[in-house]
Amino acid sequence: MMGEGRYPHIFSPLDLGHTTLKNRILMGSMHTGLEEAPGGFERMAEYFSERARGGVGMIITGGIAPNPEGSGGAKLQTAEEAAQHRIITEAVHAVVPEVKICMQILHTGPLAWTENLVAPSPIRSRIGFFTPKELDEEGIEKQFADFANSTVRAREAGYDGVEIIGSAGYLLSCFLVEKTNQRTDRWGGSYENRMRFPIEVVRRCREAVGLDFLIIFRIAAMDMLQGGMSWEEVVTLAKRMEEVGVSIISSHFTWHESAVPTIATMVPRAAFASVTGRLRKEVNVPCITSNRINMPDVAEKVVAEGHADIVSMARPMLADAEFVQKTLEGREDEINTCIGCNQACLDHTFAAQEVSCLVNPRACHETELNYEPTDNPKRIAVVGAGPAGLAYSTIAAERGHKVTLYEAAEEIGGQFNLAKRIPGKEEFAETLRYFGRMIEVTGVDLQLNTRVTGEMLKNEGYDEIVVATGITPRRPVIEGIDHPKVISYVDAITGAKPVGKKVAIMGAGGIGFDVAELISHAGPSGALDIDTFAREWGIDFKNHPRGGVTGVQPQVAKADREITMLQRKTTPVGRGLGRTTGWTHRLTLRRRDVKMVNGVEYRKIDDQGLHMNIGGWPDILDVDTVIVCAGQEPFRDLYDKLQDSDANVTLIGGAYEASELDAKRAINQAAHSAAAV
Ligand code: FAD
Ligand code: NAP
Ligand code: SF4
């Protein structure tokens, strides 16, 4: 059955009065860094046009400030700036006239990257760069005028509407919450006063553009702040926004500074949709929900169950521009699913780098990285079906090359087969499902259970041999490293060797943390259900105390083990983890009483345990298992043996370079290499 039949709710049009959405699938706002990049508007035009061609009903751009104090980055204030935005809107409307594209107006308030930042009160955010200046009456009036002007300019630029962000710790939300609004004038104090600024912003914008222009208000439906907004306050604000003319209410969950993960991969799919569902019953305008909705069946269920009218997916549209079209054509198994890793998107945003996607390196690089059909088809052998070999083979085959992919194991995936066993990383299996299907679609000849030797390939007449044989775990040279209590991370993760009750983890990089997560985890394996997630992170979805979290103690289940993570560096343990997700791993393990020790010098391992010096002082860790997670080295045996081959031999992925390797780099390198062959 084709998509409309299988997903009747997400493929039904939505009447918005003066206009209609062709379906309920929204590409949510995501800052990409292209907003400020040279040639960024041309690149965004292509980036958004691909998603429009891919079938989304509506697109929201990344955040654009209404004035300089609103971000320190891109703004829309002048006719010249509006003309640049036209490059985007004309391109999108030219490829699919009925698609709607709205510009997000983002005033970052105390989170702005400028010294001229403003806020209701001069309070520096925990995650802000500077202390904001308190807005006076004149400054407040200026903000209203700038918001209204930006909305008018957005219409002039050809947008179908704007989304005004009133959440996340940005300017509007700071007026709503006492902790950031300590004013005693008519803009602070009572909730009625605290609501006045955001309501007036929306009222002025509506007044400036009339009724035939979409205004979406992004509300913090659950802000995840201790002492944050109560449910009554959320509902009151939503109703008042409706009164002043918003077309759609979009729920947002969390402020950037809150201590609850809301989009990381361990967050259950659609975990927050029910909150939107409750809000939707209180208002008469359509509601958008979001967060960890990454496959069509999840989106369909959310709308079918009445939780939302529209489903917003931002990262899934980075991962696959054709998400909607594939769904419509019954090709869901070809969707390249967002795995919620944040590694190439949000981690880049917070490092002021251009965004892309771990599973789709073309994202935001549509004008630079293209997989054009080849006019010179070659015979290519790819050895190793880890992420690098999989990406290379499927892209090269898609371009028309004849590719044989050899894999020593009985299944594709390489190290992703270990990653997907880590609690909270179950989504990694989706990437393997995607590549498995693309092998079939692109006609790659897959040879499993085949360990390639140099001799095997030499006389096969290949034009190209691509060595993607990955890595070998590092085995440090330490006395007693062969002791029976020492096991590798591979044995620990696969369960090939038992893990005792008192454990030392030698090495605290990404894999050390994953192993600690696995062996400290209690309860059933598999993705967390929403109730367990809520318990572990102290969220009360049912009673919705202030912020959803006030006064709720996280209840952490932990395995019956004493675990110590060790590293030689003296830097804080876990510092190298992802910017937007590392804190969740560190916090989870601390809550499970996992000890983290830095500045360690390993001496030997024997029946007594692990002997070491800590800060120069000898110590013995009485453990029954030492799990080695001490990094990796390139596995290049095959490459070395192919040096006299007639074929062109290329190294990619971990086999090329193991230091600081991750799947983002492996797939990106493979994609560029396959696009050029
Ligand atoms: P590999 O994945 O190592 O694949 C190499 C393949 O080559 C293997 O399947 C092997 O069997 C095959 N092979 C080797 N020799 C031969 C031969 N002679 N003939 C045939 N086949 C051969 N990265 C991230 O970016 N984010 C994460 O969250 C993340 N989590 C991880 C968690 C764990 C537990 C682990 C172990 C890794 C994790 N990684 C993560 C790292 C990521 O998986 C690697 O960077 C990536 O797999 C490297 O890809 P690759 O294709 O170069 O090598
Ligand atoms: P890693 O991040 O480089 O960490 C290796 C650890 O081993 C470090 O703690 C290092 O710390 C220690 N070490 C290095 N040489 C050692 C030696 N000779 N003896 C003892 N200890 C030694 O590598 P990894 O944990 O193996 O992960 C491999 C790759 O997979 C990483 O590059 C990572 O990006 C990726 N990965 C990513 C994630 C993610 O969530 N993004 C998760 C898992 C894996 P000291 O040198 O200070 O002791
Ligand atoms: Fe999703 Fe990771 Fe890609 Fe970001 S980088 S869009 S989280 S798969």
PDB file of all heavy atoms in Angstrom, residues 406-435:
ATOM      1  N   TYR A 406      33.148  -6.853   0.317  1.00  0.00           N
ATOM      2  CA  TYR A 406      33.550  -8.049   1.070  1.00  0.00           C
ATOM      3  C   TYR A 406      33.534  -7.742   2.559  1.00  0.00           C
ATOM      4  O   TYR A 406      34.033  -6.705   3.004  1.00  0.00           O
ATOM      5  CB  TYR A 406      34.971  -8.449   0.681  1.00  0.00           C
ATOM      6  CG  TYR A 406      35.140  -8.856  -0.759  1.00  0.00           C
ATOM      7  CD1 TYR A 406      35.608  -7.938  -1.699  1.00  0.00           C
ATOM      8  CD2 TYR A 406      34.850 -10.147  -1.169  1.00  0.00           C
ATOM      9  CE1 TYR A 406      35.775  -8.298  -3.021  1.00  0.00           C
ATOM     10  CE2 TYR A 406      35.016 -10.528  -2.501  1.00  0.00           C
ATOM     11  CZ  TYR A 406      35.484  -9.594  -3.425  1.00  0.00           C
ATOM     12  OH  TYR A 406      35.644  -9.963  -4.731  1.00  0.00           O
ATOM     13  N   GLU A 407      32.986  -8.663   3.337  1.00  0.00           N
ATOM     14  CA  GLU A 407      32.964  -8.487   4.793  1.00  0.00           C
ATOM     15  C   GLU A 407      33.312  -9.825   5.456  1.00  0.00           C
ATOM     16  O   GLU A 407      32.721 -10.862   5.133  1.00  0.00           O
ATOM     17  CB  GLU A 407      31.580  -7.996   5.252  1.00  0.00           C
ATOM     18  CG  GLU A 407      31.343  -8.022   6.744  1.00  0.00           C
ATOM     19  CD  GLU A 407      32.387  -7.276   7.583  1.00  0.00           C
ATOM     20  OE1 GLU A 407      32.671  -6.100   7.295  1.00  0.00           O
ATOM     21  OE2 GLU A 407      32.937  -7.893   8.524  1.00  0.00           O
ATOM     22  N   ALA A 408      34.261  -9.762   6.396  1.00  0.00           N
ATOM     23  CA  ALA A 408      34.696 -10.985   7.074  1.00  0.00           C
ATOM     24  C   ALA A 408      33.599 -11.547   7.980  1.00  0.00           C
ATOM     25  O   ALA A 408      33.457 -12.769   8.112  1.00  0.00           O
ATOM     26  CB  ALA A 408      35.947 -10.679   7.902  1.00  0.00           C
ATOM     27  N   ALA A 409      32.817 -10.681   8.586  1.00  0.00           N
ATOM     28  CA  ALA A 409      31.793 -11.130   9.537  1.00  0.00           C
ATOM     29  C   ALA A 409      30.558 -11.651   8.800  1.00  0.00           C
ATOM     30  O   ALA A 409      30.438 -11.533   7.582  1.00  0.00           O
ATOM     31  CB  ALA A 409      31.411  -9.979  10.463  1.00  0.00           C
ATOM     32  N   GLU A 410      29.614 -12.171   9.594  1.00  0.00           N
ATOM     33  CA  GLU A 410      28.405 -12.723   8.973  1.00  0.00           C
ATOM     34  C   GLU A 410      27.341 -11.661   8.751  1.00  0.00           C
ATOM     35  O   GLU A 410      26.256 -11.953   8.247  1.00  0.00           O
ATOM     36  CB  GLU A 410      27.849 -13.861   9.834  1.00  0.00           C
ATOM     37  CG  GLU A 410      27.448 -13.390  11.222  1.00  0.00           C
ATOM     38  CD  GLU A 410      26.983 -14.527  12.110  1.00  0.00           C
ATOM     39  OE1 GLU A 410      27.140 -15.687  11.712  1.00  0.00           O
ATOM     40  OE2 GLU A 410      26.457 -14.222  13.195  1.00  0.00           O
ATOM     41  N   GLU A 411      27.649 -10.431   9.163  1.00  0.00           N
ATOM     42  CA  GLU A 411      26.673  -9.346   8.971  1.00  0.00           C
ATOM     43  C   GLU A 411      27.412  -8.047   8.675  1.00  0.00           C
ATOM     44  O   GLU A 411      28.589  -7.904   9.014  1.00  0.00           O
ATOM     45  CB  GLU A 411      25.805  -9.170  10.226  1.00  0.00           C
ATOM     46  CG  GLU A 411      26.615  -8.864  11.465  1.00  0.00           C
ATOM     47  CD  GLU A 411      25.792  -8.748  12.741  1.00  0.00           C
ATOM     48  OE1 GLU A 411      24.566  -8.702  12.666  1.00  0.00           O
ATOM     49  OE2 GLU A 411      26.407  -8.675  13.813  1.00  0.00           O
ATOM     50  N   ILE A 412      26.716  -7.125   8.060  1.00  0.00           N
ATOM     51  CA  ILE A 412      27.321  -5.816   7.794  1.00  0.00           C
ATOM     52  C   ILE A 412      27.315  -4.987   9.086  1.00  0.00           C
ATOM     53  O   ILE A 412      26.586  -5.307  10.015  1.00  0.00           O
ATOM     54  CB  ILE A 412      26.544  -5.042   6.695  1.00  0.00           C
ATOM     55  CG1 ILE A 412      25.094  -4.752   7.134  1.00  0.00           C
ATOM     56  CG2 ILE A 412      26.606  -5.777   5.362  1.00  0.00           C
ATOM     57  CD1 ILE A 412      24.392  -3.716   6.280  1.00  0.00           C
ATOM     58  N   GLY A 413      28.120  -3.933   9.127  1.00  0.00           N
ATOM     59  CA  GLY A 413      27.994  -2.976  10.231  1.00  0.00           C
ATOM     60  C   GLY A 413      29.272  -2.636  10.968  1.00  0.00           C
ATOM     61  O   GLY A 413      29.375  -1.583  11.569  1.00  0.00           O
ATOM     62  N   GLY A 414      30.250  -3.568  10.970  1.00  0.00           N
ATOM     63  CA  GLY A 414      31.492  -3.279  11.691  1.00  0.00           C
ATOM     64  C   GLY A 414      31.200  -2.888  13.132  1.00  0.00           C
ATOM     65  O   GLY A 414      30.377  -3.523  13.807  1.00  0.00           O
ATOM     66  N   GLN A 415      31.832  -1.839  13.596  1.00  0.00           N
ATOM     67  CA  GLN A 415      31.693  -1.445  15.005  1.00  0.00           C
ATOM     68  C   GLN A 415      30.282  -0.967  15.357  1.00  0.00           C
ATOM     69  O   GLN A 415      29.934  -0.887  16.534  1.00  0.00           O
ATOM     70  CB  GLN A 415      32.682  -0.333  15.340  1.00  0.00           C
ATOM     71  CG  GLN A 415      34.116  -0.763  15.287  1.00  0.00           C
ATOM     72  CD  GLN A 415      35.013   0.435  15.530  1.00  0.00           C
ATOM     73  OE1 GLN A 415      35.036   1.006  16.619  1.00  0.00           O
ATOM     74  NE2 GLN A 415      35.743   0.828  14.508  1.00  0.00           N
ATOM     75  N   PHE A 416      29.480  -0.620  14.358  1.00  0.00           N
ATOM     76  CA  PHE A 416      28.100  -0.222  14.684  1.00  0.00           C
ATOM     77  C   PHE A 416      27.328  -1.394  15.300  1.00  0.00           C
ATOM     78  O   PHE A 416      26.335  -1.186  15.989  1.00  0.00           O
ATOM     79  CB  PHE A 416      27.376   0.315  13.438  1.00  0.00           C
ATOM     80  CG  PHE A 416      27.379   1.830  13.382  1.00  0.00           C
ATOM     81  CD1 PHE A 416      28.448   2.546  13.886  1.00  0.00           C
ATOM     82  CD2 PHE A 416      26.317   2.537  12.832  1.00  0.00           C
ATOM     83  CE1 PHE A 416      28.468   3.939  13.849  1.00  0.00           C
ATOM     84  CE2 PHE A 416      26.313   3.927  12.798  1.00  0.00           C
ATOM     85  CZ  PHE A 416      27.397   4.624  13.309  1.00  0.00           C
ATOM     86  N   ASN A 417      27.803  -2.624  15.041  1.00  0.00           N
ATOM     87  CA  ASN A 417      27.139  -3.760  15.683  1.00  0.00           C
ATOM     88  C   ASN A 417      27.427  -3.808  17.174  1.00  0.00           C
ATOM     89  O   ASN A 417      26.664  -4.413  17.936  1.00  0.00           O
ATOM     90  CB  ASN A 417      27.582  -5.071  15.011  1.00  0.00           C
ATOM     91  CG  ASN A 417      26.951  -5.211  13.643  1.00  0.00           C
ATOM     92  OD1 ASN A 417      25.744  -5.001  13.495  1.00  0.00           O
ATOM     93  ND2 ASN A 417      27.758  -5.505  12.637  1.00  0.00           N
ATOM     94  N   LEU A 418      28.523  -3.182  17.596  1.00  0.00           N
ATOM     95  CA  LEU A 418      28.779  -3.037  19.037  1.00  0.00           C
ATOM     96  C   LEU A 418      28.013  -1.831  19.566  1.00  0.00           C
ATOM     97  O   LEU A 418      27.360  -1.895  20.608  1.00  0.00           O
ATOM     98  CB  LEU A 418      30.280  -2.860  19.292  1.00  0.00           C
ATOM     99  CG  LEU A 418      31.186  -4.021  18.867  1.00  0.00           C
ATOM    100  CD1 LEU A 418      32.654  -3.655  19.083  1.00  0.00           C
ATOM    101  CD2 LEU A 418      30.843  -5.280  19.652  1.00  0.00           C
ATOM    102  N   ALA A 419      28.082  -0.720  18.828  1.00  0.00           N
ATOM    103  CA  ALA A 419      27.426   0.515  19.284  1.00  0.00           C
ATOM    104  C   ALA A 419      25.933   0.274  19.547  1.00  0.00           C
ATOM    105  O   ALA A 419      25.389   0.743  20.551  1.00  0.00           O
ATOM    106  CB  ALA A 419      27.628   1.618  18.254  1.00  0.00           C
ATOM    107  N   LYS A 420      25.276  -0.473  18.669  1.00  0.00           N
ATOM    108  CA  LYS A 420      23.811  -0.626  18.798  1.00  0.00           C
ATOM    109  C   LYS A 420      23.413  -1.455  20.028  1.00  0.00           C
ATOM    110  O   LYS A 420      22.256  -1.461  20.426  1.00  0.00           O
ATOM    111  CB  LYS A 420      23.225  -1.240  17.521  1.00  0.00           C
ATOM    112  CG  LYS A 420      23.521  -2.698  17.348  1.00  0.00           C
ATOM    113  CD  LYS A 420      22.971  -3.255  16.045  1.00  0.00           C
ATOM    114  CE  LYS A 420      23.144  -4.761  16.003  1.00  0.00           C
ATOM    115  NZ  LYS A 420      22.896  -5.351  14.705  1.00  0.00           N
ATOM    116  N   ARG A 421      24.410  -2.142  20.638  1.00  0.00           N
ATOM    117  CA  ARG A 421      24.099  -2.914  21.848  1.00  0.00           C
ATOM    118  C   ARG A 421      24.171  -2.074  23.117  1.00  0.00           C
ATOM    119  O   ARG A 421      23.830  -2.544  24.199  1.00  0.00           O
ATOM    120  CB  ARG A 421      25.127  -4.050  22.013  1.00  0.00           C
ATOM    121  CG  ARG A 421      25.004  -5.158  21.006  1.00  0.00           C
ATOM    122  CD  ARG A 421      26.232  -6.048  21.169  1.00  0.00           C
ATOM    123  NE  ARG A 421      26.193  -7.176  20.263  1.00  0.00           N
ATOM    124  CZ  ARG A 421      26.040  -8.437  20.642  1.00  0.00           C
ATOM    125  NH1 ARG A 421      25.887  -8.733  21.913  1.00  0.00           N
ATOM    126  NH2 ARG A 421      26.039  -9.401  19.750  1.00  0.00           N
ATOM    127  N   ILE A 422      24.652  -0.833  22.990  1.00  0.00           N
ATOM    128  CA  ILE A 422      24.769   0.023  24.175  1.00  0.00           C
ATOM    129  C   ILE A 422      23.388   0.599  24.493  1.00  0.00           C
ATOM    130  O   ILE A 422      22.730   1.165  23.611  1.00  0.00           O
ATOM    131  CB  ILE A 422      25.771   1.181  23.901  1.00  0.00           C
ATOM    132  CG1 ILE A 422      27.126   0.641  23.423  1.00  0.00           C
ATOM    133  CG2 ILE A 422      25.926   2.075  25.133  1.00  0.00           C
ATOM    134  CD1 ILE A 422      27.865  -0.259  24.386  1.00  0.00           C
ATOM    135  N   PRO A 423      22.927   0.475  25.763  1.00  0.00           N
ATOM    136  CA  PRO A 423      21.616   1.030  26.087  1.00  0.00           C
ATOM    137  C   PRO A 423      21.552   2.511  25.701  1.00  0.00           C
ATOM    138  O   PRO A 423      22.464   3.282  26.024  1.00  0.00           O
ATOM    139  CB  PRO A 423      21.534   0.859  27.611  1.00  0.00           C
ATOM    140  CG  PRO A 423      22.472  -0.259  27.922  1.00  0.00           C
ATOM    141  CD  PRO A 423      23.582  -0.170  26.917  1.00  0.00           C
ATOM    142  N   GLY A 424      20.515   2.878  24.996  1.00  0.00           N
ATOM    143  CA  GLY A 424      20.375   4.266  24.543  1.00  0.00           C
ATOM    144  C   GLY A 424      20.938   4.495  23.160  1.00  0.00           C
ATOM    145  O   GLY A 424      20.795   5.571  22.606  1.00  0.00           O
ATOM    146  N   LYS A 425      21.597   3.486  22.584  1.00  0.00           N
ATOM    147  CA  LYS A 425      22.128   3.661  21.229  1.00  0.00           C
ATOM    148  C   LYS A 425      21.461   2.684  20.254  1.00  0.00           C
ATOM    149  O   LYS A 425      22.018   2.381  19.195  1.00  0.00           O
ATOM    150  CB  LYS A 425      23.639   3.437  21.226  1.00  0.00           C
ATOM    151  CG  LYS A 425      24.426   4.604  21.756  1.00  0.00           C
ATOM    152  CD  LYS A 425      25.894   4.485  21.392  1.00  0.00           C
ATOM    153  CE  LYS A 425      26.604   5.786  21.637  1.00  0.00           C
ATOM    154  NZ  LYS A 425      28.047   5.690  21.353  1.00  0.00           N
ATOM    155  N   GLU A 426      20.285   2.227  20.618  1.00  0.00           N
ATOM    156  CA  GLU A 426      19.602   1.236  19.786  1.00  0.00           C
ATOM    157  C   GLU A 426      19.335   1.782  18.387  1.00  0.00           C
ATOM    158  O   GLU A 426      19.251   1.023  17.414  1.00  0.00           O
ATOM    159  CB  GLU A 426      18.272   0.816  20.441  1.00  0.00           C
ATOM    160  CG  GLU A 426      18.431   0.061  21.759  1.00  0.00           C
ATOM    161  CD  GLU A 426      18.698   0.961  22.968  1.00  0.00           C
ATOM    162  OE1 GLU A 426      18.634   2.198  22.823  1.00  0.00           O
ATOM    163  OE2 GLU A 426      18.964   0.429  24.058  1.00  0.00           O
ATOM    164  N   GLU A 427      19.196   3.127  18.286  1.00  0.00           N
ATOM    165  CA  GLU A 427      18.904   3.723  16.973  1.00  0.00           C
ATOM    166  C   GLU A 427      19.997   3.425  15.937  1.00  0.00           C
ATOM    167  O   GLU A 427      19.747   3.499  14.737  1.00  0.00           O
ATOM    168  CB  GLU A 427      18.768   5.242  17.099  1.00  0.00           C
ATOM    169  CG  GLU A 427      17.546   5.737  17.838  1.00  0.00           C
ATOM    170  CD  GLU A 427      16.272   5.696  17.003  1.00  0.00           C
ATOM    171  OE1 GLU A 427      16.309   5.225  15.862  1.00  0.00           O
ATOM    172  OE2 GLU A 427      15.233   6.129  17.530  1.00  0.00           O
ATOM    173  N   PHE A 428      21.217   3.105  16.401  1.00  0.00           N
ATOM    174  CA  PHE A 428      22.287   2.853  15.439  1.00  0.00           C
ATOM    175  C   PHE A 428      21.932   1.693  14.506  1.00  0.00           C
ATOM    176  O   PHE A 428      22.463   1.593  13.396  1.00  0.00           O
ATOM    177  CB  PHE A 428      23.618   2.592  16.159  1.00  0.00           C
ATOM    178  CG  PHE A 428      24.282   3.855  16.671  1.00  0.00           C
ATOM    179  CD1 PHE A 428      23.621   4.724  17.522  1.00  0.00           C
ATOM    180  CD2 PHE A 428      25.572   4.178  16.289  1.00  0.00           C
ATOM    181  CE1 PHE A 428      24.222   5.890  17.985  1.00  0.00           C
ATOM    182  CE2 PHE A 428      26.191   5.343  16.742  1.00  0.00           C
ATOM    183  CZ  PHE A 428      25.512   6.199  17.595  1.00  0.00           C
ATOM    184  N   ALA A 429      21.039   0.837  14.958  1.00  0.00           N
ATOM    185  CA  ALA A 429      20.601  -0.282  14.112  1.00  0.00           C
ATOM    186  C   ALA A 429      19.876   0.230  12.864  1.00  0.00           C
ATOM    187  O   ALA A 429      19.877  -0.424  11.818  1.00  0.00           O
ATOM    188  CB  ALA A 429      19.686  -1.210  14.905  1.00  0.00           C
ATOM    189  N   GLU A 430      19.248   1.408  12.975  1.00  0.00           N
ATOM    190  CA  GLU A 430      18.528   1.959  11.822  1.00  0.00           C
ATOM    191  C   GLU A 430      19.490   2.269  10.674  1.00  0.00           C
ATOM    192  O   GLU A 430      19.143   2.126   9.502  1.00  0.00           O
ATOM    193  CB  GLU A 430      17.786   3.250  12.208  1.00  0.00           C
ATOM    194  CG  GLU A 430      16.616   3.063  13.158  1.00  0.00           C
ATOM    195  CD  GLU A 430      15.388   2.465  12.486  1.00  0.00           C
ATOM    196  OE1 GLU A 430      15.442   2.087  11.309  1.00  0.00           O
ATOM    197  OE2 GLU A 430      14.351   2.367  13.180  1.00  0.00           O
ATOM    198  N   THR A 431      20.691   2.710  11.026  1.00  0.00           N
ATOM    199  CA  THR A 431      21.668   3.013   9.976  1.00  0.00           C
ATOM    200  C   THR A 431      22.047   1.733   9.231  1.00  0.00           C
ATOM    201  O   THR A 431      22.227   1.745   8.003  1.00  0.00           O
ATOM    202  CB  THR A 431      22.918   3.674  10.608  1.00  0.00           C
ATOM    203  OG1 THR A 431      22.473   4.833  11.305  1.00  0.00           O
ATOM    204  CG2 THR A 431      23.936   4.080   9.560  1.00  0.00           C
ATOM    205  N   LEU A 432      22.126   0.645   9.972  1.00  0.00           N
ATOM    206  CA  LEU A 432      22.473  -0.629   9.317  1.00  0.00           C
ATOM    207  C   LEU A 432      21.294  -1.147   8.483  1.00  0.00           C
ATOM    208  O   LEU A 432      21.482  -1.703   7.401  1.00  0.00           O
ATOM    209  CB  LEU A 432      22.924  -1.652  10.361  1.00  0.00           C
ATOM    210  CG  LEU A 432      24.145  -1.194  11.177  1.00  0.00           C
ATOM    211  CD1 LEU A 432      24.604  -2.285  12.129  1.00  0.00           C
ATOM    212  CD2 LEU A 432      25.289  -0.778  10.253  1.00  0.00           C
ATOM    213  N   ARG A 433      20.084  -0.921   8.978  1.00  0.00           N
ATOM    214  CA  ARG A 433      18.911  -1.274   8.159  1.00  0.00           C
ATOM    215  C   ARG A 433      18.928  -0.482   6.852  1.00  0.00           C
ATOM    216  O   ARG A 433      18.716  -1.025   5.762  1.00  0.00           O
ATOM    217  CB  ARG A 433      17.628  -0.989   8.960  1.00  0.00           C
ATOM    218  CG  ARG A 433      16.311  -1.340   8.285  1.00  0.00           C
ATOM    219  CD  ARG A 433      15.651  -0.180   7.548  1.00  0.00           C
ATOM    220  NE  ARG A 433      15.534   0.986   8.389  1.00  0.00           N
ATOM    221  CZ  ARG A 433      15.654   2.224   7.954  1.00  0.00           C
ATOM    222  NH1 ARG A 433      15.902   2.470   6.661  1.00  0.00           N
ATOM    223  NH2 ARG A 433      15.548   3.257   8.773  1.00  0.00           N
ATOM    224  N   TYR A 434      19.232   0.797   6.961  1.00  0.00           N
ATOM    225  CA  TYR A 434      19.280   1.664   5.772  1.00  0.00           C
ATOM    226  C   TYR A 434      20.337   1.143   4.791  1.00  0.00           C
ATOM    227  O   TYR A 434      20.052   0.940   3.604  1.00  0.00           O
ATOM    228  CB  TYR A 434      19.587   3.105   6.198  1.00  0.00           C
ATOM    229  CG  TYR A 434      20.023   3.983   5.045  1.00  0.00           C
ATOM    230  CD1 TYR A 434      19.097   4.470   4.119  1.00  0.00           C
ATOM    231  CD2 TYR A 434      21.375   4.325   4.872  1.00  0.00           C
ATOM    232  CE1 TYR A 434      19.509   5.264   3.050  1.00  0.00           C
ATOM    233  CE2 TYR A 434      21.784   5.117   3.805  1.00  0.00           C
ATOM    234  CZ  TYR A 434      20.850   5.575   2.897  1.00  0.00           C
ATOM    235  OH  TYR A 434      21.262   6.348   1.832  1.00  0.00           O
ATOM    236  N   PHE A 435      21.551   0.933   5.282  1.00  0.00           N
ATOM    237  CA  PHE A 435      22.608   0.503   4.364  1.00  0.00           C
ATOM    238  C   PHE A 435      22.293  -0.889   3.786  1.00  0.00           C
ATOM    239  O   PHE A 435      22.568  -1.148   2.618  1.00  0.00           O
ATOM    240  CB  PHE A 435      23.964   0.499   5.066  1.00  0.00           C
ATOM    241  CG  PHE A 435      24.615   1.860   5.113  1.00  0.00           C
ATOM    242  CD1 PHE A 435      25.024   2.422   6.309  1.00  0.00           C
ATOM    243  CD2 PHE A 435      24.844   2.573   3.940  1.00  0.00           C
ATOM    244  CE1 PHE A 435      25.640   3.675   6.347  1.00  0.00           C
ATOM    245  CE2 PHE A 435      25.457   3.829   3.959  1.00  0.00           C
ATOM    246  CZ  PHE A 435      25.853   4.380   5.175  1.00  0.00           C
TER     247      PHE A 435
END
